[in-house]
């Protein structure tokens, strides 16, 4: 429960949220107005029939002499038949319009969110679980739709029903109204209790469901099952699952029962109140000296029953409104995230064709925004200066965590430098239009990502207008054409997440073909460290060589061949360039590069397997030299 003092800021925040939600409906103002009017009509009409009942009873049926008045009765009955039909028709059309608005608002919101997410920097995605993003886009936005179509209409129509009913009751007999409203608090109290119980149960159910899916996700994945098997923890996992499953089943039963109790409650009130009204009517008549006609009693009891459902629904809806507001809050939270990498205010327009491809980092400092051990900002890069001439190959070498990947992210502006600048042909990349930058720089990452689509579509991702001949030429250059032709449907074979599984080397070659097709001026290459067999290794190298021709390449090099081919090698350690030069020069210096070379590189790969056990500090390989040697000889596992 929120403390008293917290309530008002929280309420102000809620109000701001409600206003923001209301603004989403701005474009549909006309329709919303129509729905409101329709609700007023359809809910308001409902109260006319009970009023007519009184007239039927007192003026047409039982009015003493001259009754029954068949003419009047006929007209009244005709009205009583017509009104519900009209109300029903208006109600149906109103629901259609409400749904239409709801769907449109949701569609807008989803589109906006997706577009916004696409514009967010890599920092957001590395810091957020994928499932979380998906769930906000799918479930939260979807959940919001019910408020829009159902909740809002429910609230309005129930309020109209309540008010019109009370007014009608007063019109018929204010004395009876006063008496019967005494009973409402009792009902309210019950309904509120039931509502609270429901909310508690549904919260618990939500958390139980989340827990269940977390358990299944963790334990039924390949790695999870593997872990459970090798540590012999399967029994424990089963027990954990069972316990949670039990809890869920109990909660479901409780939820059903609470719902049932609520209906029983409404039913009971339905049955009891007419009886109580008869009593009250007799009492008012006898003691109060007010004559109560039979029409009054019948009309009144009919009106009275109209009160309970709206009250019950309004109570329940208040719970829904809370949870929907929370959903809106979650969606807005994402929408409010600033897109860190934005278009320059005063972009330098230049013809990408004329770019020479000179890449330079000038005194670049970069931090992922995390604090180091000493509480100071942890720098991933500190004062990095490097230059790669047009058409040259620059190799980044260094122990794991030295900052190589970070540099590869800064050049295409996946992140922006904290201090210093990255320049393309002497122009700060932050001053180039994002599209120019993206068109100029191509990237081959360690993990080659393929969409669940045909080989052709995956290749075309780089250049949608590429012809089949161009695709094939690129694939040939990347030494993957023959392999593609050997697939069941050639270029039309579906690959990717759930498609045909290509090997690591094949995926890399496909990714290389994709970049060849794009033909960027500048290439950022992160060579895969995963062990490939000799044939794949040779094929990947064969694919890489033509890729680097005639473009500036900045390569995170793990292969001897790449390093030997490099025009300049930058040796990084702890975010600084500690050595630079050609292979021979660096070897002659006998520094970190020479050490790295001795340790692994002479075996073909530089840093490939120094992930955990044999990480270095201050540029020195501290330990596990023997293991490192072994690891260099054997394919890494796990
Ligand atoms: P390398 O590619 O040379 O192995 P990285 O550029 O990946 O090194 O990392 C440089 C430093 O930045 C490391 O200390 C690493 O832990 C840190 N780092 C890398 N990525 C992130 C991230 N997304 N968030 C926080 N720190 C990161």
């Amino acid at each position: 429960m929120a403390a008293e003092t917290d309530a008002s800021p929280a309420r102000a925040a809620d109000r701001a949220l409600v206003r923001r939600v209301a603004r989403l409906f701005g474009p549909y103002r006309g329709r919303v107005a129509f729905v409101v009017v329709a609700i007023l009509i359809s809910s308001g009409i409902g109260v006319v029939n009970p009023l007519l009942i009184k007239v039927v009873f007192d003026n047409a049926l039982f009015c003493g002499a001259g009754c029954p008045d068949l003419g009047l009765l006929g007209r009244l009955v005709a009205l009583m038949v017509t009104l519900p039909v009209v109300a029903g028709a208006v109600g149906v059309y109103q629901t259609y319009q409400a749904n239409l608005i709801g769907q449109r608002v949701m569609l807008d919101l989803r589109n906006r969110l997706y577009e916004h997410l696409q514009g967010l920097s890599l920092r957001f995605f590395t810091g957020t679980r994928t499932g979380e993003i998906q769930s906000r886009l799918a479930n939260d936005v979807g959940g919001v739709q019910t408020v829009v179509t159902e909740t809002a209409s429910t609230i309005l129509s129930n309020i109209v029903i309540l008010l019109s009913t009370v007014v009608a009751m007063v019109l018929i007999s204010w004395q009876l109204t006063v008496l019967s409203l005494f009973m409402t608090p009792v009902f309210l109290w019950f309904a509120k209790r039931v509502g609270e119980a429901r909310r508690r149960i549904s919260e618990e159910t939500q958390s139980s469901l989340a827990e269940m899916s977390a358990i299944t996700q963790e334990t039924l994945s390949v790695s999870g099952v593997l872990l459970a098997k090798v540590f012999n923890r399967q029994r424990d996992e089963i027990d954990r699952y069972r316990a949670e499953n039990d809890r869920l089943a109990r909660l479901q039963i409780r939820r059903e029962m609470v719902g049932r109790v609520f209906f029983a409650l409404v039913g009971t009130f339905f049955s009891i109140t007419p009886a109580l009204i008869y009593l009250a009517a007799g009492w008012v008549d006898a003691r109060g000296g007010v004559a109560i006609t039979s029409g009054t009693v019948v009309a009144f009891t009919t009106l009275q029953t109209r009160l309970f459902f709206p009250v019950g629904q309004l109570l329940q809806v208040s719970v829904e409104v809370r949870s929907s507001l929370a959903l809106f809050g979650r969606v807005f939270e994402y929408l409010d995230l600033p897109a860190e990498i934005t278009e320059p205010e005063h972009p330098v327009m230049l013809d990408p064709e004329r770019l020479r491809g000179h890449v330079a980092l000038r005194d670049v400092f970069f931090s992922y925004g995390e604090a180091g051990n000493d509480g100071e900002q942890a720098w991933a890069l500190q004062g990095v200066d490097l230059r790669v001439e047009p058409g040259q190959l620059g190799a980044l070498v260094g122990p794991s965590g030295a900052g190589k990947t970070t540099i590869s992210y800064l050049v295409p502006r996946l992140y922006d430098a904290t201090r210093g600048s990255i320049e393309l042909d002497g122009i700060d990349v932050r001053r180039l239009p994002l599209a120019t930058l993206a068109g100029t720089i191509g990237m081959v990452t360690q993990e080659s990502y393929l969409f669940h689509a045909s080989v052709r579509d995956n290749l075309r991702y780089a250049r949608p207008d590429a012809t089949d001949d161009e695709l094939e030429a690129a694939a040939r250059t990347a030494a993957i054409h023959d392999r593609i032709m050997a697939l069941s449907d050639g270029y039309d074979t579906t690959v990717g997440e759930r498609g045909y599984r290509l090997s690591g080397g094949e995926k890399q070659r496909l990714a290389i073909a994709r970049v060849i097709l794009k033909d960027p001026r500048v290439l950022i290459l992160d060579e895969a460290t995963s062990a490939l067999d000799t044939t794949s290794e040779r094929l990947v190298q064969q694919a890489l060589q033509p890729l680097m021709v005639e473009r500036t390449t900045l390569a995170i090099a793990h292969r001897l061949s790449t390093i030997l081919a490099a025009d300049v090698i930058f040796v990084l350690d702890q975010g600084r360039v500690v050595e630079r030069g050609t292979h021979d020069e660096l070897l002659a210096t006998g520094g970190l590069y020479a050490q790295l070379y001795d340790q692994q590189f002479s075996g073909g790969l530089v840093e490939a397997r120094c992930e955990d056990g044999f990480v270095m500090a201050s540029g020195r390989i501290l330990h596990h030299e023997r293991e490192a040697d072994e690891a260099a000889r054997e394919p890494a596992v796990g």
Side-chain angles (χ1 to χ4, degrees), residues 171-182:
L171 284 180
I172 292 181
S173 161
W174 66 264
Q175 294 91 341
L176 279 185
T177 311
V178 171
L179 283 178
S180 74
L181 287 187
F182 271 122

Side-chain angles (χ1 to χ4, degrees), residues 122-123 126-127 366-370 378-381 397-409 415 446 526 556 558 572 574-575 607 611:
L122 213 54
R123 191 192 304 275
T126 52
F366 180 79
S367 161
Y368 282 97
E370 318 219 319
W379 293 109
L381 297 178
V397 175
S400 174
K404 306 181 293 292
T405 314
T406 308
I407 293 181
S408 78
Y409 286 160
Y415 292 94
Q446 282 202 18
D526 191 351
I556 300 175
H558 299 292
L572 280 136
Q574 299 195 344
E607 181 229 303
E611 294 295 11

Side-chain angles (χ1 to χ4, degrees), residues 380-543:
L381 297 178
Q382 310 188 51
V384 169
D385 254 302
L386 60 84
R387 244 160 289 276
V388 186
E389 299 300 324
Q392 286 203 335
L393 164 60
L396 299 172
V397 175
S400 174
K404 306 181 293 292
T405 314
T406 308
I407 293 181
S408 78
Y409 286 160
L410 292 183
V411 180
R413 278 194 85 191
L414 295 176
Y415 292 94
D416 272 342
T418 315
R419 284 214 304 264
S421 64
I422 290 99
E423 292 170 7
L424 254 183
D425 283 12
I427 304 164
D428 192 317
V429 286
R430 283 169 295 202
R431 298 191 56 206
L432 289 172
L434 290 176
T436 309
L437 198 63
T440 312
I441 300 174
M443 217 170 166
V444 176
T445 48
Q446 282 202 18
E447 274 294 316
S448 316
Y449 187 73
L450 298 177
F451 290 103
H452 178 74
S454 65
V455 172
R456 194 186 305 282
D457 290 344
N458 267 293
L459 287 175
R460 280 233 170 90
Y461 197 72
R463 228 182 76 206
D465 60 349
T467 63
D468 283 351
D469 288 342
E470 286 170 324
L471 288 188
E472 206 182 302
R476 276 186 200 283
T477 316
I480 186 71
H481 173 74
D482 293 340
R483 180 69 190 102
I484 296 173
M485 293 312 285
L487 295 175
S488 54
D489 294 316
Y491 279 83
D492 293 315
T493 313
T494 303
V495 293
E497 223 171 320
R498 265 181 229 100
Y500 190 88
R501 292 187 73 98
L502 294 169
S503 77
E506 288 160 357
K507 270 164 75 176
Q508 274 171 33
R509 272 140 59 207
L510 213 54
I512 291 169
R514 192 156 60 181
V515 175
I516 291 178
L517 210 57
K518 176 173 172 177
D519 193 21
R521 195 69 214 96
V522 175
L523 172 69
I524 309 288
L525 169 68
D526 191 351
E527 283 186 334
T529 50
S530 53
L532 296 177
D533 59 68
T534 11
T535 321
S536 314
E537 180 74 38
R538 188 174 47 74
L539 284 169
V540 169
Q541 267 178 35
Q542 194 183 326

Side-chain angles (χ1 to χ4, degrees), residues 326-343:
L327 288 186
F328 269 117
R330 282 160 59 86
V331 173
F332 288 149
E333 192 186 322
Y334 269 13
L335 277 178
D336 291 343
L337 289 175
E340 285 171 59
I341 311 291
T342 48
E343 290 285 355

